[in-house]
Structure formats: structure tokens, C-alpha cells
Amino acid sequence: MSSRTSATLAGLALAVLTAGCADPEADRVSLVSTPQPPASSPLPSLTVVPPPSPMLSSGPVKHPFPMATSLTDPMATAAPLTTTGPPRFFVSARTPLTRFPGQSKTAVFTPVPPAVHNAETGAFIANIPLPPGIAGSWHLAAAARDNRTFAIAGWTGSTNPSIRFFLVHLDENGRPEQPVALTPTDPDDLTLVHDLALSADGTRLAYSTPLIGGGAKISVLDVATGRRRDWKTMTHPMVSGLSWAPDGRSLAYVLGGRAIALLDLTAPDGATSRIIKAATGALPMESLAYTPDGSALIYATGHTVERIPLAGGPAQVLARPELPPDASLSLRFSVDGTGEHLLYVHGWRAYHADLADGAVTSVPITVHERPGEGNSPRATW
């Protein structure tokens, strides 16, 4: 197995083990963006240095490519895609299947495609077609609020493995149209991606990645032009739970599973970030979702789903799903465009939590290719 393949498939486990190292208790987290390239009318550059973390080396973060600055306006302020009611479909995505034939120490990888499912029954509707150069899905997908537009992470194969993104739109019967590959103008080394989020208007894709040597990066990609803007933090090795504000002016995210923060995209330097809530117990946080009016965030502490107003005030418990003892300590979920329906997966079942009354129902996830094999899928609506 090549070292690049090993890094891709093993990196996620390493990131999870180290995610709790940084301290989120500071009042403010600074994401640092690189200076803008020279131009006739230069944009202001950020010179603030993030506070040192005792858990990380003070040495510089190394990255194979410079931080991208070609996207001067990272906001997503076009008209949001229309929400038509409760979700009718969800998309599942898996990592490649891995096996070691005989006594071999060399892994054999079998790519599998992402799939569309009936939201009410979990039944398989269709495999999602893949753009050229993508062999199968990676286990990340993000939905726009219309329940028809999805961004998906694809895997390029074991020869030269990397992760690439593409968009797909579903028709009214859940049948996928031809995928549209997203091609960044700035090179990036995508062998491990922690999370994806598609803006409400479908024009921007945010994703988070680790940095070699420590720290993490948030990137915003213009899906039409491929231009990208990056920010980095040296105080946390993992950024997850990305969620766009409905007005496209800010991004919410989770720092190392221990704090919820907001990145203000309206700042001239694009690097204003503040802590909304820090974890108070041992249970981690993983996913976030804005409410449709943008006034609050939905998150989970362990398996307890709560809502916290951004203007301040106590958190409100929305649901307490009961998961089996072997479930992850954190809850990875997706909330639909109405803000009323929450989706999470355990094993090969999709669970639907009604956020109005906390009731939870589940359905089996059926797929056409290699059902029940490999790791369980992730799902989004």
C-alpha cells in the first residue's frame, strides 16, 4: 500500500485521537489568512498572530501549497435555494472497501459510488454518476436547503489517491443528473477532509482539512470559478461541523470537538472568529446546523441535540436519541432546509429525529453495490 494511500485512509483515525488536545477556553479564536497578492488596489491583509497553544509546537505550519487567496469575496449572498417541505431524499456516501487477501499485508481497495435514497423508507433509488477521474465516493457529502442539490467528496483511486469534489442535482423523482466536477484554480493537497458544507444559495463550498505539522484549515471554494480562500488556525488540529449561515455571511464550525465558533466572512480580512459555546463536560461535539432564520445553532453534546440562540441565552434540548452502546460518543447529523428534521446514521440504519417533538424513527439503508460491506455510510439531506 502506498504511503499516500495510507495517509488518506489512516489520517482520519489519527485526527480523531488528537482532536481533543487544544484548549477552547479562550474568549476568541483567531483564524489567520495569508496576505493578498499584489494588485493595483490591494486588499488589506491580516497581521494578527493567533495565541500560542501549549499543546502544539511553536514552529511554523508546513503545507505543500501556499494558502489560497484568489477568492476575494467568500460570502454567499445570492437568493437561497427554495425549501419545498420535509426532505424526500437523502444521499449516502462511503469510503472505499478495504480488504487484505490471504496473508497479504497489501490492501486492496474497491471503490463504491454514492447513492440516493427515499427519505421515508431508506430504499435505494439510484447510484450517483461520477465525473471523470473519480473512482468512487469518500464518506462526505453536503446538501443545500432545497434537498435537490448536493456536494460530494470523491476518491480518485489507489494509484494516486486524493479527494475531489463535485456537485449533483436530483430531479423530482430523486434521479441524479450528470455530475459537475469542481476544479479549484489554486492547487491543494486533499488526502484528508474533515467536513463539507454547501451554502444556502449553492454558490460556495466550505471544507476543512488538517495542516501538516499541526493546525487546521478552512477553505471556501466558489463552485462556478474554482477560486478559493483559506484560513488557518494553529491552536486546533481538527475543525469539523461546518455550517453556512442562511445569509451566507458567516460559517459556524466546531474546534477540536470542544467548542462552537463563528467565522465572520464580512470582515475585510475575513478572519474574525469568536467562540459561541465551549464544551463543559467530557462529551464531544461534532455537527452543527443553523436554524432557517439564522438566529440559533443546532448542535449535539454527546447524543443530546440542543439549540442555542446566537444572541445569548440558555440552550434548549430538542431531542435525546438513544443509540446502541457501540455508537460513537459524538453525533454526526444533517438538518434539512426546514430546520425541523434531523438525520443521523448508525450501522446500516438511517435515523430521523423530529425536532418539534423529539420523536425518533429509523429505516434500513439499502444500496445496490456491496450492501452491508465495509464501514457504514454517512448520509445527508
Side-chain angles (χ1 to χ4, degrees):
M1 176 167 53
S2 71
S3 59
R4 188 176 179 90
T5 303
S6 300
T8 302
L9 296 177
L12 183 58
L14 178 61
V16 171
L17 289 174
T18 60
C21 293
D23 179 9
E25 296 302 324
D27 292 333
R28 182 183 180 85
V29 173
S30 297
L31 287 173
V32 180
S33 62
T34 54
Q36 300 294 326
S40 57
S41 299
L43 295 173
S45 62
L46 184 68
T47 57
V48 176
V49 177
S53 167
M55 304 302 295
L56 295 177
S57 167
S58 60
V61 172
K62 298 179 181 179
H63 195 258
F65 300 108
M67 303 290 278
T69 59
S70 63
L71 180 60
T72 58
D73 183 7
M75 293 183 290
T77 55
L81 299 176
T82 303
T83 301
T84 57
R88 294 178 53 202
F89 314 107
F90 68 82
V91 164
S92 69
R94 294 188 277 169
T95 53
L97 306 181
T98 306
R99 63 185 180 90
F100 294 86
Q103 301 298 316
S104 174
K105 296 182 179 180
T106 301
V108 174
F109 301 100
T110 302
V112 287
V116 184
H117 306 263
N118 182 298
E120 185 176 352
T121 66
F124 171 82
I125 294 177
N127 285 331
I128 293 176
L130 302 170
I134 294 181
S137 68
W138 193 246
H139 60 173
L140 290 173
R145 59 183 295 167
D146 64 349
N147 192 231
R148 301 293 186 277
T149 307
F150 294 84
I152 300 173
W155 184 66
T156 59
S158 58
T159 301
N160 189 27
S162 64
I163 297 171
R164 298 179 187 174
F165 305 124
F166 62 97
L167 295 181
V168 68
H169 187 268
L170 308 182
D171 66 18
E172 287 306 302
N173 296 314
R175 294 286 173 178
E177 299 174 358
Q178 287 301 305
V180 177
L182 303 184
T183 306
T185 58
D186 304 277
D188 206 359
D189 187 31
L190 294 180
T191 55
L192 177 61
V193 178
H194 290 314
D195 216 341
L196 298 179
L198 192 58
S199 61
D201 63 3
T203 67
R204 300 286 191 272
L205 178 69
Y207 61 93
S208 59
T209 58
L211 289 175
I212 298 172
K217 181 181 72 169
I218 293 177
S219 301
V220 171
L221 180 69
D222 185 322
V223 303
T225 67
R227 294 184 177 183
R228 196 179 83 238
R229 183 75 180 273
D230 293 338
W231 300 266
K232 67 181 178 183
T233 173
M234 295 182 64
T235 60
H236 292 80
M238 184 175 181
V239 170
S240 62
L242 297 176
S243 180
W244 282 90
D247 64 5
R249 297 177 180 274
S250 62
L251 271 170
Y253 57 97
V254 175
L255 284 163
R258 304 299 299 161
I260 298 171
L262 286 186
L263 175 64
D264 181 5
L265 301 178
T266 67
D269 50 41
T272 302
S273 186
R274 63 188 176 96
I275 294 290
I276 299 298
K277 178 180 175 59
T280 56
L283 294 176
M285 298 180 284
E286 183 172 0
S287 293
L288 291 175
Y290 269 93
T291 55
D293 62 2
S295 67
L297 284 170
I298 298 169
Y299 66 98
T301 299
H303 300 158
T304 301
V305 181
E306 301 178 330
R307 178 172 55 213
I308 186 169
L310 295 181
Q316 174 191 2
V317 174
L318 300 178
R320 298 182 188 272
E322 294 185 5
L323 276 75
D326 62 342
S328 169
L329 292 178
S330 62
L331 187 68
R332 185 179 187 88
F333 63 77
S334 171
V335 175
D336 78 314
T338 69
E340 299 173 358
H341 307 278
L342 181 144
L343 174 72
Y344 64 94
V345 171
H346 178 70
W348 283 84
R349 296 191 71 85
Y351 293 79
H352 168 205
D354 189 322
L355 297 183
D357 59 13
V360 177
T361 58
S362 72
V363 295
I365 300 174
T366 60
V367 294
H368 179 68
E369 295 194 25
R370 306 287 184 137
E373 294 186 35
N375 295 326
S376 62
R378 293 179 178 177
T380 185
W381 61 21

